[in-house]
Structures are given as structure tokens and as C-alpha cells.
Amino acid sequence: MTGLPVVRGGTGRRGTRPAPEPSGGPPPSPPGGGAGDARRPDIDDLYHHSRLDLVRLALFLVDDVPTAEDVVQDAFAALLRRHGPELDAVDAPEAYLRTSVVNAARSVLRRRRTVRAHVPERPGHGPSADEYVLLREEHRTVLHALRRLTRRQREVLVLRYWSGLSEIQIADTLGLSPGTVKSTASRALTALRRHLETSP
């Protein structure tokens, strides 16, 4: 994100001093640079500001860091292809990306279930080094418990408590009613506590 434009005073001719700033208020803005003309964040700004949070969101949904990073990268690539780098036509680009990440995570889990139905999972799979960087120990414990919830319960809890969304925002992201979000969150929390109490 960029701050307000910095206006540098000119030095004028040698031996003369720059004109003093007018008193009683801030320095005048450059032409076309009023307060209402602040630059909208473009896709580069959004990537640097939001990528890590989106990877954490995807990690809680798909369980492993490489897949989470792929999901987020694909979401940014799709946003760029559809709307270009300036994002002028996107009212809420962060919400757009969250929805893209959730939908992509659903596709990953569907494919994963299909594969696991035919190919047994290899034993001894453990968390990667990247996962230890992205998640603290208590979060990894919760991640293991989240795997035992239904997909909808998991999505609602992750968006509510890790992405910090309101019930209305979660409803918009998942295509649910706010009442469904509320009741799902209540049941999911009860199930999550039960799994955490019985986890080794």
C-alpha cells in the first residue's frame, strides 16, 4: 500500500530560498492528487498483503503446505486473467480471493477422496518443515482435529476463527444463509472440543 504522495520542495535558483509553506493547513496537493484520488491497490499490493493469510486459510482446508500454496497461486492467477492487474472492476478483491481459495480447496478434497478410494495413503506422513513455520504447535493440534469435521463445519470454523470473518461474510463466501452459518458453527465447535478432548 502506498501512503500519501510526498511533495518535495524545489531548491530554486542559487542564493534564493524556497517559498514558505502556507500557514494554517497542510501543503497543497499536486494537480489531480486530492485525498479522494488515492490509488486503489493493484494485484501486486494484494499479493504482498494477503498471500500469507490466504495460504494459512488454504492450509487449514487442505492439510498440506504445497497444496495450499498451489491453491492460492491459482486463485491469484485466475484473478489476474479475468480482471487484469489493476482490479478496477472488482469491488472486494480480498473477498473474491477467499471465495476462490475455498472453492479450489473443495476441488482438491474431492480429487483427494477419489484417489484415496483407489490408492492407499502412504504410512508415516508427517507435517512438512513449512507447516512448522506457518503454524504454531497449538494450531497444528487443532488442524488435526479439524480433519475429523465435515467439510462445511471445517470451512465455517476456519473462516470464523482464523480468517476473522463475520457470519454475514462467511455466508457470502460459502453461499449459505447467516442462520445456517451460525448453527453450523455451534455444532462444529461442540464436535471440535470433543475431538480435542479425546486426542492423544
Side-chain angles (χ1 to χ4, degrees):
M1 299 290 180
T2 58
L4 293 174
V6 178
V7 181
R8 304 184 185 278
T11 57
R13 292 183 178 179
R14 181 176 300 176
T16 63
R17 293 182 296 176
E21 299 280 5
S23 59
S29 300
D37 295 326
R39 183 177 69 84
R40 281 173 56 97
D42 60 19
I43 197 164
D44 287 334
D45 299 322
L46 194 61
Y47 185 86
H48 291 295
H49 173 71
S50 303
R51 177 186 172 275
L52 187 57
D53 286 339
L54 290 171
V55 170
R56 287 195 179 103
L57 167 62
L59 175 57
F60 276 111
L61 297 176
V62 302
D63 295 344
D64 70 275
V65 174
T67 303
E69 290 177 336
D70 288 345
V71 163
V72 172
Q73 196 70 24
D74 289 347
F76 274 100
L79 179 63
L80 178 62
R81 285 195 305 270
R82 184 165 185 176
H83 295 285
E86 300 305 323
L87 307 180
D88 292 332
V90 186
D91 291 332
E94 289 193 41
Y96 182 102
L97 283 168
R98 274 195 304 268
T99 300
S100 297
V101 166
V102 170
N103 288 337
R106 289 175 177 176
S107 298
V108 166
L109 295 176
R110 281 195 297 268
R111 291 194 300 270
R112 189 175 289 172
R113 283 195 300 269
T114 301
V115 170
R116 286 175 179 171
H118 298 88
V119 180
E121 187 174 3
R122 289 180 299 173
H125 173 71
S128 67
D130 289 338
E131 183 176 317
Y132 280 102
V133 173
L134 285 168
L135 298 176
R136 296 194 296 271
E137 178 63 37
E138 62 270 24
H139 286 172
R140 290 196 295 273
T141 301
V142 174
L143 176 60
H144 295 314
L146 282 170
R147 292 170 181 163
R148 303 169 68 182
L149 302 181
T150 67
R151 187 200 74 192
R152 178 180 290 181
Q153 288 175 340
R154 184 173 182 170
E155 290 172 350
V156 167
L157 287 190
V158 169
L159 290 171
R160 180 70 184 92
Y161 295 101
W162 279 270
S163 293
L165 303 190
S166 67
E167 290 176 357
I168 296 295
Q169 290 172 316
I170 296 170
D172 289 341
T173 300
L174 301 181
L176 303 173
S177 69
T180 299
V181 170
K182 186 173 183 177
S183 60
T184 301
S186 177
R187 289 193 298 270
L189 281 173
T190 299
L192 184 66
R193 291 191 189 103
R194 185 171 62 250
H195 293 320
L196 287 172
E197 289 169 359
T198 58
S199 64

